[in-house]
């Protein structure tokens, strides 16, 4: 702790709201998409389970091991995110914590280069994915908390939408570069660069590329946006130890429940509908191929188109967020998604999936962006990190809903199409939980 006097927590609001600060903040989202898109979803995780673990001895499949590793990482995140965010705020090291967690994530990505195409390296890849996933999710806590620093109450919706859009577009660009540069084609050498596939060299180089991409675009926010000033928003939090931090957290939650229960209500509602939003992308590709007859080769094209329309939706909705409030944006988005989902239950064929699938995903970005601005407007000034830590934890706590209900309806009706009902049920449940929650005041600080 420094001897500097604590400032009023309201000084945090708009502390770095210049255009350059906003762009620097959004570039972290652009760069971080390399971990989500390349490492966790489309490239490295597939290489790990399909190639490295292909001849893994024992009766447990590589996919099961991956699921358990990521589940364990998620459990660790759920336990530590609230007190981590709390300490980032209280110690005035929000940017420093973002830098440290980003560096640890990038280091995990760099080390993935040493995961050779041999089952003996499967465990190294599994550990790196687990730790990388945990560091990445924890990095999202101080990053989201910085939204209040780089925005004002009048433009928080637009800034949040800009950040989400940067993430979507960044993911598209790094995937295209990876695919055409290192993966596309047939034979012993792949991509426009002619990289050899022997020993997984092309995929291991993609992991290195993703690490460099993340590092390059994470630097601006660390260099441009100033550190959080030390505030007096949460007495005792900075001096509390690990277990003491949980006592401070419990005290703050009791206070929050007594003063403004809508924050607790929103955390619960958003956790539910955000799991439904995740389910849209998680199971979209499976449904596209197995139900609507989309060719395997066209799935990536649909994924790119879906990310583009979700990004455009997030940018557009940001303006409505600032004018009419984030709650209305979320409610309209969820209702529209349920309607499009019902239409998908009825229609058939690739063309109809393209039409209603893209209509559905155009509302994913607005809902995600408005949820972030909603909590930013509600969070007590100086305690944004703690609130976004709880945001992460509650999301983790219900992350089983969409997968479980998707699987249940597929099993109950013996039809993949019926899984859509499970996703729609989660979205509808989240909408029902959100409706009684009063929206934040437009100029809440």
């Amino acid at each position: 702790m420094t001897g500097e006097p604590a400032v009023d927590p309201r000084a945090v609001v708009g502390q770095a709201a210049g255009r350059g600060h906003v762009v620097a903040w959004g570039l972290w989202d652009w760069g971080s998409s390399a971990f989500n898109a390349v490492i966790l979803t489309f490239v490295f995780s597939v290489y790990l389970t399909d190639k490295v673990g292909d001849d893994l001895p024992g009766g447990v499949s590589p996919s099961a091991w991956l699921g358990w590793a990521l589940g364990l990482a998620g459990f660790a995140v759920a336990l530590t995110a609230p007190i981590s965010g709390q300490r980032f705020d209280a110690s005035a090291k929000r940017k420093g914590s973002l830098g440290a967690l980003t560096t640890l994530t990038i280091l995990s990505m760099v080390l993935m280069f040493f995961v050779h195409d041999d089952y003996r390296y499967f465990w190294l890849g599994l550990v790196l994915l687990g730790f990388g996933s945990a560091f990445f999710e924890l990095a999202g806590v101080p990053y989201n908390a910085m939204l209040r620093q780089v925005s004002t109450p009048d433009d928080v919706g637009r800034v949040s939408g800009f950040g989400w859009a940067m993430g979507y577009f960044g993911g598209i660009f790094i995937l295209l570069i990876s695919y055409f540069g290192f993966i596309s084609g047939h034979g012993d050498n792949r991509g426009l660069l002619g990289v050899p596939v022997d020993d997984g060299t092309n995929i291991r180089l993609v992991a290195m590329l993703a690490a460099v991409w993340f590092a390059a675009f994470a630097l601006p926010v660390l260099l441009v946006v100033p550190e959080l000033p030390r505030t007096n928003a949460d007495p005792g939090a900075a001096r509390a130890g690990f277990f003491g931090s949980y006592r401070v957290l419990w005290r703050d939650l009791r206070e929050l429940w007594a003063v403004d229960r809508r924050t607790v209500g929103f955390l619960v509602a958003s956790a539910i509908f955000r799991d439904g939003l995740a389910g849209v992308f998680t199971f979209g590709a499976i449904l596209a191929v197995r139900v609507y007859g989309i060719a395997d080769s066209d799935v990536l094209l649909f994924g790119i188109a879906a990310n583009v329309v979700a990004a455009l939706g997030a940018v557009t909705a940001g303006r409505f967020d600032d004018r009419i409030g984030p709650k209305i944006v979320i409610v309209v988005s969820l209702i529209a998604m349920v309607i499009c989902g019902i239409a998908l239950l009825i229609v058939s064929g690739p063309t109809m999936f393209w039409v209603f699938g893209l209509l559905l995903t155009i509302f994913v970005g607005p809902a995600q962006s408005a949820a972030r601005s909603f909590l930013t407007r509600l969070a007590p000034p100086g305690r944004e990190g703690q609130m976004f830590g709880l945001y992460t934890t509650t999301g983790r706590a219900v992350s089983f809903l969409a997968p479980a209900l998707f699987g249940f309806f597929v099993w109950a009706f013996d039809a993949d199409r019926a899984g859509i009902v499970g996703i729609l049920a989660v979205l509808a449940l989240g909408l029902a939980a959100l409706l009684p929650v009063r929206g934040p005041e437009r100029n809440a600080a």
Side-chain angles (χ1 to χ4, degrees):
M1 294 293 296
T2 67
E4 297 177 2
V7 303
D8 188 306
R10 287 171 293 185
V12 174
V13 181
Q15 175 205 30
R19 182 170 296 181
H21 296 111
V22 172
V23 172
W25 178 78
L27 284 173
W28 189 92
D29 235 332
W30 174 284
S32 69
S33 61
F35 183 84
N36 257 334
V38 173
I39 302 299
L40 202 56
T41 306
F42 292 109
V43 182
F44 186 81
S45 60
V46 176
Y47 164 71
L48 187 65
T49 54
D50 289 0
K51 300 296 184 183
V52 181
D54 184 43
D55 51 356
L56 187 70
V60 181
S61 72
S63 297
W65 281 116
L66 176 62
W68 292 339
L70 293 179
L72 185 62
F75 181 70
V77 169
L79 285 180
T80 58
I83 62 166
S84 297
Q86 170 185 293
R87 295 183 69 81
F88 300 159
D89 292 341
S91 61
K93 294 180 180 178
R94 187 180 289 170
K95 186 177 76 169
S97 301
L98 175 63
L101 290 166
T102 299
T103 300
L104 289 171
T105 306
I106 293 169
L107 180 60
S108 300
M109 297 164 74
V110 169
L111 292 176
M112 289 174 189
F113 176 78
F114 300 100
V115 179
H116 298 273
D117 188 0
D118 185 312
Y119 76 86
R120 289 170 295 185
Y121 290 89
F122 178 77
W123 309 109
L124 173 61
L126 206 62
V127 168
L128 291 174
L129 260 182
F131 275 101
S133 176
F135 293 141
F136 178 71
E137 284 204 57
L138 288 174
V141 173
Y143 175 73
N144 286 330
M146 291 174 76
L147 173 58
R148 179 168 269 167
Q149 289 171 258
V150 298
S151 67
T152 68
D154 289 329
D155 66 5
V156 61
R158 277 170 287 176
V159 174
S160 180
F162 170 74
W164 272 108
M166 290 288 279
Y168 281 124
F169 284 126
I172 293 167
F173 272 87
I174 188 63
L175 277 176
L176 289 175
I177 293 171
S178 301
Y179 178 74
F180 289 109
F182 298 83
I183 300 172
S184 64
H186 303 281
D188 295 334
N189 297 283
R190 302 288 178 86
L192 297 176
L193 299 177
V195 183
V197 299
D198 182 54
D199 200 26
T201 302
N202 61 330
I203 303 300
R204 291 160 50 213
L205 284 174
V206 165
M208 286 290 292
L209 170 68
V212 172
W213 177 278
F214 193 178
F217 290 107
L219 280 176
V221 70
L222 303 176
L223 296 175
V224 174
V225 179
E227 182 58 276
L228 173 77
R230 189 167 68 86
T231 74
N232 55 8
D234 203 6
R239 295 187 300 275
F242 180 79
F243 293 105
S245 294
Y246 284 100
R247 289 193 291 271
V248 173
L249 176 65
W250 180 242
R251 179 202 70 191
D252 291 345
L253 286 174
R254 291 202 310 269
E255 176 187 316
L256 196 64
W257 180 258
V259 174
D260 191 0
R261 295 186 183 182
R262 63 177 168 172
T263 302
V264 179
F266 175 72
L267 286 171
V268 172
S270 71
I272 298 171
F273 71 70
R274 283 185 290 131
D275 189 48
L277 299 177
V280 170
F281 282 103
T282 301
F283 300 106
I286 297 171
L287 293 169
V289 174
R290 295 180 62 86
V291 177
Y292 298 95
I294 298 286
D296 290 348
S297 57
D298 290 338
V299 170
L300 180 60
L301 293 177
F302 180 83
I304 291 172
N307 277 275
V308 169
V309 297
L312 295 176
V315 171
T316 303
R319 297 187 174 275
F320 289 99
D321 181 327
D322 292 326
R323 292 176 183 174
I324 61 179
K327 179 180 176 179
I328 297 178
V329 172
I330 299 171
V331 168
V332 170
S333 297
L334 293 178
I335 291 174
M337 291 177 71
V338 169
I339 292 172
C340 291
I342 293 172
L344 283 170
L345 275 172
I346 300 170
V347 303
S348 297
T351 301
M352 288 295 98
F353 181 80
W354 273 91
V355 172
F356 288 102
L358 290 180
L359 281 175
L360 188 149
T361 53
I362 199 172
F363 292 101
V364 173
Q368 291 174 320
S369 171
R372 180 163 64 183
S373 73
F374 195 119
L375 184 59
T376 299
R377 295 178 191 272
L378 287 186
R383 282 168 50 190
E384 296 85 0
Q386 183 187 64
M387 290 299 103
F388 276 104
L390 288 168
Y391 188 72
T392 300
T393 293
T394 52
R396 272 290 175 182
V398 303
S399 61
F400 66 91
L401 273 177
L405 286 178
F406 180 89
F408 171 77
F409 280 98
V410 170
W411 169 80
F413 292 91
D414 194 24
D416 289 338
R417 182 189 292 264
I420 297 173
V421 178
I423 297 175
L424 294 182
V426 177
L427 293 173
L429 182 61
L431 174 62
L434 178 66
L435 287 176
V437 179
R438 181 166 54 91
E441 291 74 20
R442 181 176 176 275
N443 289 318

